[in-house]
Amino acid sequence: MKINSNVKTKLSMFLCCICFLFNSCSEPVPASKIEDISDLKAEIEIYQSLTDENDNSISVILYDKKGKEFGNDSVKITVNGEKAEYKIMQQLYYGKNYDYRAGDVPPKNGSYELRIQLANGKKFFLSSIPSLKLSSSRNIIYKENAPLNQDYSIQWSGLHDVNVLYLSKSVKIQTKEKSNIETFAEQPADTIKIGPSGNYTVKKETFSKPGETLSIMSFEFTAEKNGTVHPQLLTGSSSKIRGYHEERISFK
């Protein structure tokens, strides 16, 4: 019985692997099967520099009704009238990603408008996303080097669309073994809701704990907005834009 049980276990694992490879290697539905905007889910992301609105990158990933990534040369996407490039990216284990990308596209009337043309020639509005207002990192006042025995404060003003602060830390790991090699670890970022102007203080008590000492603190002043998508796209469709100013502080 023990041998039979082991055989069954190995057979089950083998079948799972086969199913995984089959699903990974299977292609999305043919473009001819996508007949309407309601056959697709779209995930749209834009990065825009906060100092130059023409410095941007746009990514569009489409999915069919079965949740598989969809892409085809016969399906066209434009951003403010400029054609996005269709790319197929090979992944590990025979998987593929299908992506539409564009970059350095000037906003028009303060927004990015995306449109799609299906293989059957039908054209649809896909999404409208507001551009981000420009701001200067010179409006962020801080010290680039700081001591570990004092609270640390940073202040800012006139950052316009900035609404989130991501605060992350790199810590030096202290080991019992003597070595010339220093080990560092990145800690998960804290998410702090902020406005265009304000200040923030980090207490010195958070700088160190047993076995770890703060080395670098990163402040990412981020502007994040959501756009609108075609109402007939599949559930889960989204569009968003983000840009940021990042400042790094060294501690000793």
Side-chain angles (χ1 to χ4, degrees):
M1 293 296 293
K2 187 174 182 180
I3 294 176
N4 290 338
S5 177
N6 288 336
V7 170
K8 289 181 179 179
T9 300
K10 292 179 179 179
L11 180 60
S12 297
M13 293 176 65
F14 176 75
L15 291 175
C16 287
C17 290
I18 292 296
C19 290
F20 172 79
L21 289 174
F22 176 78
N23 290 330
S24 299
C25 297
S26 58
E27 299 291 331
V29 298
S32 59
K33 297 290 185 180
I34 305 297
E35 299 178 344
D36 194 80
I37 192 73
S38 59
D39 293 327
L40 292 171
K41 182 178 87 169
E43 292 181 351
I44 304 162
E45 294 187 358
I46 298 179
Y47 163 79
Q48 180 199 299
S49 167
L50 294 183
T51 57
D52 179 2
E53 63 184 5
N54 295 328
D55 179 7
N56 53 54
S57 59
I58 298 100
S59 169
V60 182
I61 300 178
L62 303 176
Y63 299 84
D64 61 28
K65 287 184 175 180
K66 293 183 179 180
K68 293 187 67 63
E69 284 192 24
F70 168 82
N72 195 285
D73 276 327
S74 61
V75 175
K76 314 295 183 183
I77 292 178
T78 59
V79 183
N80 288 349
E82 297 189 23
K83 182 181 176 182
E85 182 181 2
Y86 171 58
K87 292 186 175 182
I88 301 176
M89 290 171 282
Q90 190 73 43
Q91 301 296 317
L92 294 175
Y93 304 110
Y94 307 101
K96 294 179 181 179
N97 289 128
Y98 305 88
D99 200 357
Y100 293 85
R101 291 185 176 271
D104 304 328
V105 178
K108 288 185 178 179
N109 300 318
S111 67
Y112 303 90
E113 183 169 305
L114 288 83
R115 306 189 70 83
I116 186 170
Q117 178 177 318
L118 303 181
N120 58 14
K122 289 184 179 180
K123 298 179 180 179
F124 299 91
F125 158 79
L126 188 61
S127 176
S128 180
I129 306 173
S131 60
L132 299 175
K133 293 180 180 178
L134 302 184
S135 56
S136 173
S137 60
R138 288 180 293 182
N139 292 341
I140 303 171
I141 310 302
Y142 68 101
K143 292 182 179 179
E144 295 183 5
N145 298 283
L148 288 165
N149 60 355
Q150 295 178 13
D151 296 345
Y152 185 81
S153 295
I154 188 168
Q155 63 185 54
W156 62 94
S157 62
L159 296 189
H160 303 304
D161 281 337
V162 166
N163 52 9
V164 181
L165 173 61
Y166 293 105
L167 173 59
S168 59
K169 300 175 183 177
S170 175
V171 297
K172 180 180 177 182
I173 305 299
Q174 300 167 357
T175 59
K176 294 181 180 179
E177 298 80 10
K178 292 184 178 180
S179 173
N180 292 327
I181 300 175
E182 294 184 331
T183 303
F184 295 87
E186 298 292 329
Q187 295 184 341
D190 294 326
T191 303
I192 304 158
K193 294 293 184 180
I194 62 172
S197 299
N199 61 79
Y200 189 79
T201 298
V202 185
K203 295 295 184 180
K204 62 183 179 182
E205 289 78 11
T206 66
F207 292 169
S208 302
K209 63 181 181 180
E212 296 180 355
T213 302
L214 178 63
S215 176
I216 295 174
M217 191 183 299
S218 296
F219 291 86
E220 188 178 289
F221 292 87
T222 305
E224 296 180 344
K225 287 184 179 181
N226 292 321
T228 58
V229 297
H230 194 293
Q232 294 181 19
L233 284 166
L234 293 173
T235 301
S237 295
S238 62
S239 62
K240 52 190 176 183
I241 186 171
R242 72 187 301 269
Y244 59 87
H245 298 293
E246 184 177 20
E247 310 297 347
R248 294 167 64 88
I249 294 86
S250 298
F251 285 81
K252 292 183 179 180

